[in-house]
């Protein structure tokens, strides 16, 4: 573009010099002046055309760059929908188990100890709930939003970034709470190998000191820890449901914008 501008500037300078020379000359026929004016108009039109072509080309390059980002974002978002649904299903099962534990403690029925052992898994474990979308983060971080023509897509991406931040912060809070509060209680009062989830038990040596479950039925700390966990899981499900619905909306919008056919998605 700089070369075009330089060439046009030289041509204009040449025409100005010719007009100055003509004014000083004795030729009053007007032919020369008309020719020069035609040349000036032609140069101006050439400038406008060159700028229009350059602007169109720059816009085309930017839109292609934005499209590349959107394709990358689509391939992050589409599989995350199934992951989000899976995580919600996991959390639903944790809620059921935690409620069972609280109901057993509330009943004070010592004959239900075996069921208490089977359902304490949610207390001793933290299920990862964090998500990561590098392409979304990069796209918004580099401020390409003003170049994208679809305002709906940008709106959904910004909403995704907000919900993502909330979910990851909540997961970090739950992890810190587990490490600082729950684990010390487990170490004092519960044999972890007895209550771990089946897939974790395979990694452990069974045995060791037995948990005195009769003594923890009236343990206020256990009751409160289970209540904290239940509260956290309930909030988690709400966030996961909203997050998955947002991913589905974004998935549809990107498909429409990128004109991705269902056959392409399946392959």
């Amino acid at each position: 573009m700089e070369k075009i501008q330089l060439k046009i500037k030289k041509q204009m300078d040449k025409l100005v010099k010719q007009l100055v020379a003509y004014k000083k000359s004795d030729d009053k026929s007007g032919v020369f002046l008309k020719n020069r004016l035609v040349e000036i108009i032609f140069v101006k039109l050439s400038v406008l055309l060159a700028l229009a072509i350059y602007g169109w080309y720059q816009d085309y390059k930017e839109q292609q760059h934005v499209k590349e980002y959107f394709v990358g974002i689509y391939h992050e978002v589409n599989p995350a929908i199934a992951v989000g649904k899976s995580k919600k299903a996991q959390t639903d099962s944790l809620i059921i188990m935690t409620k069972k534990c609280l109901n057993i403690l509330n009943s004070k029925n010592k004959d239900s100890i075996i069921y208490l052992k089977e359902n304490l898994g949610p207390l001793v474990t933290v299920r990862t709930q964090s998500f990561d979308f590098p392409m979304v983060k990069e796209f918004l971080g580099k401020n390409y939003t003003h170049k994208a023509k679809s305002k709906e897509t940008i709106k959904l991406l910004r909403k995704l970034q907000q919900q993502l931040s909330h979910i990851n912060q909540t997961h970090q809070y739950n992890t810190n709470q587990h490490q600082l509060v729950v684990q010390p209680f487990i170490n004092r009062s519960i044999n972890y190998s007895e209550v771990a989830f089946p897939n974790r038990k395979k990694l452990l040596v069974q045995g060791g000191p037995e948990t005195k479950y009769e003594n923890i039925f009236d343990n206020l700390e256990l009751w409160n820890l289970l209540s904290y966990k239940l509260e956290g899981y309930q909030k988690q499900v709400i966030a996961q449901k909203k997050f998955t619905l947002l991913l589905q909306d974004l998935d549809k919008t990107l498909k429409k914008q990128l004109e991705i056919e269902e056959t392409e998605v399946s392959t």
Side-chain angles (χ1 to χ4, degrees):
M1 188 61 190
E2 289 180 2
K3 290 182 179 180
I4 294 173
Q5 290 175 332
L6 184 61
K7 187 175 180 181
I8 291 169
K9 186 177 182 301
K10 286 181 179 180
Q11 188 69 21
M12 290 299 293
D13 289 343
K14 181 181 176 182
L15 288 172
V16 170
K17 288 178 182 179
Q18 288 178 344
L19 287 172
V20 171
Y22 169 75
K23 190 175 181 181
K24 293 178 180 179
S25 71
D26 296 329
D27 181 13
K28 304 301 180 184
S29 65
V31 176
F32 177 82
L33 182 60
K34 289 178 182 178
N35 291 338
R36 296 291 81 80
L37 288 174
V38 170
E39 285 188 41
I40 290 171
I41 293 171
F42 178 76
V43 169
K44 284 188 175 181
L45 289 174
S46 299
V47 170
L48 293 173
L49 182 60
L51 289 173
I53 292 173
Y54 180 75
W56 174 85
Y57 177 67
Q58 286 297 103
D59 183 64
Y60 172 78
K61 284 206 308 183
E62 287 179 352
Q63 290 306 312
Q64 286 298 109
H65 199 44
V66 168
K67 185 176 180 180
E68 288 173 5
Y69 266 109
F70 281 172
V71 170
I73 290 171
Y74 171 78
H75 287 298
E76 286 182 345
V77 168
N78 185 262
I81 296 172
V83 176
K85 290 179 180 179
S86 174
K87 286 183 182 293
K88 181 185 175 299
Q90 284 182 357
T91 309
D92 285 336
S93 67
L94 296 177
I95 289 172
I96 292 170
M97 295 175 74
T98 305
K99 283 183 176 180
K100 281 183 180 179
C101 289
L102 287 167
N103 288 331
I104 291 169
L105 293 177
N106 212 24
S107 70
K108 300 186 185 300
N109 184 358
K110 302 293 176 69
D111 293 333
S112 299
I113 287 177
I114 184 172
Y115 301 110
L116 183 65
K117 287 172 64 176
E118 290 175 355
N119 289 280
L120 276 174
L123 175 68
V124 301
T125 306
V126 176
R127 295 286 193 189
T128 177
Q129 299 298 328
S130 59
F131 287 84
D132 189 27
F133 294 86
M135 292 295 288
V136 175
K137 185 177 180 181
E138 184 177 327
F139 178 78
L140 295 177
K142 288 187 175 181
N143 198 25
Y144 282 104
T145 53
H146 67 284
K147 297 178 182 179
K149 294 181 178 179
S150 173
K151 302 304 177 185
E152 179 64 20
T153 305
I154 299 304
K155 181 181 176 181
L156 290 173
L157 285 174
R158 284 179 174 153
K159 196 173 179 181
L160 174 64
Q161 189 180 45
Q162 292 173 353
Q163 289 197 18
L164 199 58
S165 175
H166 173 69
I167 286 176
N168 290 343
Q169 285 176 9
T170 301
H171 174 67
Q172 188 59 50
Y173 173 81
N174 292 338
T175 301
N176 292 338
Q177 181 191 61
H178 184 84
Q179 292 174 343
L180 298 174
V181 181
V182 180
Q183 280 187 343
F185 171 78
I186 296 168
N187 293 339
R188 290 192 306 270
S189 308
I190 297 176
N191 183 331
Y192 173 71
S193 65
E194 293 177 356
V195 298
F197 283 112
N199 62 326
R200 301 287 180 94
K201 281 186 179 182
K202 295 176 182 179
L203 308 175
L204 305 172
V205 174
Q206 297 301 309
E210 294 184 358
T211 304
K212 300 187 186 314
Y213 291 98
E214 295 82 358
N215 298 335
I216 65 174
F217 264 79
D218 295 318
N219 191 307
L220 182 61
E221 188 175 7
L222 175 60
W223 176 268
N224 284 333
L225 289 177
L226 285 167
S227 296
Y228 292 148
K229 285 277 189 175
L230 179 61
E231 181 184 41
Y233 290 142
Q234 299 275 28
K235 289 181 178 179
Q236 201 166 278
V237 161
I238 295 171
Q240 288 168 338
K241 189 174 180 179
K242 287 173 61 178
F243 188 66
T244 304
L245 289 173
L246 175 59
L247 289 177
Q248 289 174 331
D249 288 342
L250 185 55
D251 179 72
K252 289 177 183 176
T253 302
L254 287 170
K255 278 182 186 177
K256 184 178 179 181
Q257 187 172 340
L258 298 171
E259 298 179 348
I260 297 175
E261 301 293 336
E262 289 298 325
T263 52
E264 295 180 61
V265 175
S266 61
T267 49

